[in-house]
Amino acid sequence: MLPEPANCRLCGSASERIRSSKLRGFRYTCPSCGSFGIESAALAGLGANASIQQDLAHLRAYGLLPLIHRDKQGVSVGPGRV
Ligand SMILES: [Zn+2]
């Protein structure tokens, strides 16, 4: 799979994404948000969200790939399984 151009789901910047079956979604590489995974289920309705962007920064500070996923409580961020 080759990366494809896509707008970042969090900030709208021109970025790249690559489909990942391991993440059950996509891995985005954004110039301002960095790299993060997002499950397909979490893509719908996700917009700019300052708390998610903060969570991404925290996880990246620990050297983890953030993964955005959706559960009953809504969209949340945790360490990815990569
Ligand atoms: Zn972004």
Side-chain angles (χ1 to χ4, degrees), residues 7-13 15 17 25-28 30 33-56 66-71 73-78:
N7 289 331
C8 174
R9 295 305 293 241
L10 295 175
C11 72
S13 295
S15 57
R17 73 177 187 179
F26 295 92
R27 178 178 176 143
Y28 278 76
C30 170
C33 305
S35 291
F36 60 92
I38 181 165
E39 287 184 351
S40 299
L43 277 173
L46 183 70
N49 185 319
S51 78
I52 285 186
Q53 282 168 303
Q54 253 173 24
D55 289 345
L56 295 189
L67 177 65
I68 302 170
H69 54 93
R70 180 186 287 278
D71 58 24
Q73 279 76 43
V75 174
S76 58
V77 184

